[in-house]
Amino acid sequence: MKHNIQIDSKFNPHLARIFSQKIMTDLMQYGESGYLNEILTNSGFIKYLKTDIELIDIFNIVYKYLSKAYRNEYIYKNVIANKILLGRHSLNSSFMLTEFRVADCKADVVILNGTSNVYEIKTELDSLDRLEKQIEAYQKFFDMVHVVTSPNQIKKIENSVKSNIGILELTSRNTIKTIREAESGKKNICPATIFDSLRKSEYISIIKDNFGSVPEVPNTQIYKECREIFETLSPEVVHNSMVTHLKRRGNSNSLKKLIESVPYSLKAFALNSCFKKKEVTSFINILNSRYTHLYSNVA
């Protein structure tokens, strides 16, 4: 690979999209992605790639370029996945979710281990307009609330969030630096907020665990009845039950296989991929094969 990649910055957002589930699914199903071929060709990135390159190396090279030239949300999520989830914890006891709905917000990254941590990402490309509203929602759901941001946003965030909110910096070397530790807020969470973010099977299971059974009512009333019962539980019990049940979403050997098989650049994608068991093996094989489709599309 040639060094000192020079790409017109207008293509950077498009290059960032190649780490999406849609592109990965196309690659898994068809062995190629028209979008991937198009953006690598139109941006001129293709001239920095070997003709016999493996697909896995394309992702690694693009990721390395973006981590310097365009630190978008995926870069942040991936560093959190690598440095915090995989660097400090174990996949056997921890799980990571992205874009998790809480009230009318979407939490960028959630890591569940012995407790719950939410990481709201504010890149150098983002404004802080919604931060106060987002933090207010997250404090009703999670034990530890953190904001992860760039060096040039640190002061603004320190001045705009309360002292119990953790602040983390994505350094210029793409590592995580703790500016301020988060304080536990488990006793202040709102059972109704947690209830509304759970799947039906999850809140029913929590009610059975704590009350022995669920109300015998028509399906049209089960949500309302369960919500009323759920709200009588203490914040700590609801929080701990939520952590236990959400972690089960990641209790899959095929998911662990995918996470362990992909390179650094694809860990965040792998952690929240939608592939079925059989698809995981196919995707891993495609990643490690030569990507001849790119150059066959060049006249």
Side-chain angles (χ1 to χ4, degrees), residues 22-218:
K22 172 65 170 66
I23 304 305
M24 303 298 181
T25 300
D26 285 347
L27 289 167
M28 191 278 300
Q29 291 181 340
Y30 310 116
E32 71 169 319
S33 161
Y35 181 86
L36 177 62
N37 299 341
E38 182 180 351
I39 187 57
L40 291 177
T41 302
N42 291 348
S43 66
F45 210 103
I46 189 172
K47 67 185 179 183
Y48 298 101
L49 307 175
K50 296 185 296 185
T51 55
D52 61 346
I53 195 167
E54 293 182 355
L55 182 59
I56 199 168
D57 290 325
I58 293 177
F59 285 113
N60 288 339
I61 294 168
V62 173
Y63 180 86
K64 186 176 181 180
Y65 163 76
L66 290 173
S67 68
K68 295 178 181 179
Y70 186 75
R71 300 205 309 176
N72 60 92
E73 191 173 283
Y74 181 81
I75 300 295
Y76 277 71
K77 288 178 179 176
N78 199 56
V79 173
I80 293 170
N82 279 283
K83 301 296 185 182
I84 298 179
L85 177 70
L86 302 176
R88 303 177 188 174
H89 306 295
S90 164
L91 288 176
N92 294 323
S93 58
S94 304
F95 183 50
M96 175 173 141
L97 294 161
T98 62
E99 302 301 310
F100 182 77
R101 183 178 63 83
V102 177
D104 58 353
C105 300
K106 280 190 176 180
D108 291 323
V109 176
V110 175
I111 293 181
L112 306 159
N113 39 58
T115 188
S116 62
N117 287 268
V118 61
Y119 299 88
E120 178 59 32
I121 294 169
K122 293 300 178 186
T123 77
E124 43 261 65
L125 310 168
D126 295 330
S127 76
L128 305 181
D129 293 347
R130 299 185 64 246
L131 184 58
E132 183 178 352
K133 178 182 179 182
Q134 291 166 323
I135 287 177
E136 183 179 344
Y138 302 154
Q139 288 186 299
K140 294 178 181 179
F141 197 106
F142 301 104
D143 183 18
M144 305 282 195
V145 179
H146 315 260
V147 181
V148 190
T149 192
S150 62
N152 63 354
Q153 297 262 52
I154 293 293
K155 288 299 180 185
K156 291 180 185 177
I157 290 173
E158 284 181 321
N159 293 330
S160 62
V161 301
K162 295 179 181 178
S163 60
N164 61 323
I165 305 301
I167 301 176
L168 303 174
E169 176 188 330
L170 182 66
T171 71
S172 58
R173 299 180 65 182
N174 290 307
T175 61
I176 298 289
K177 176 183 177 183
T178 300
I179 303 299
R180 188 168 74 198
E181 297 280 0
E183 297 176 11
S184 175
K186 188 191 301 187
K187 66 181 184 296
N188 299 317
I189 67 97
C190 172
T193 301
I194 287 183
F195 181 89
D196 289 341
S197 292
L198 296 175
R199 295 169 179 169
K200 182 179 179 181
S201 60
E202 291 167 342
Y203 67 68
I204 284 179
S205 181
I206 291 172
I207 289 173
K208 284 182 178 178
D209 289 344
N210 287 279
F211 299 99
S213 62
V214 294
E216 294 185 9
V217 295

Side-chain angles (χ1 to χ4, degrees), residues 241-257:
S241 297
M242 171 272 291
V243 170
T244 297
H245 284 76
L246 288 186
K247 280 169 65 176
R248 291 175 184 170
R249 296 187 186 184
N251 189 21
S252 161
N253 288 330
S254 59
L255 177 61
K256 290 176 183 175
K257 177 184 177 182

Side-chain angles (χ1 to χ4, degrees), residues 219-230:
N219 283 336
T220 54
Q221 298 177 35
I222 193 71
Y223 176 88
K224 179 177 180 292
E225 293 292 326
C226 284
R227 195 175 193 270
E228 289 179 359
I229 294 173
F230 198 91

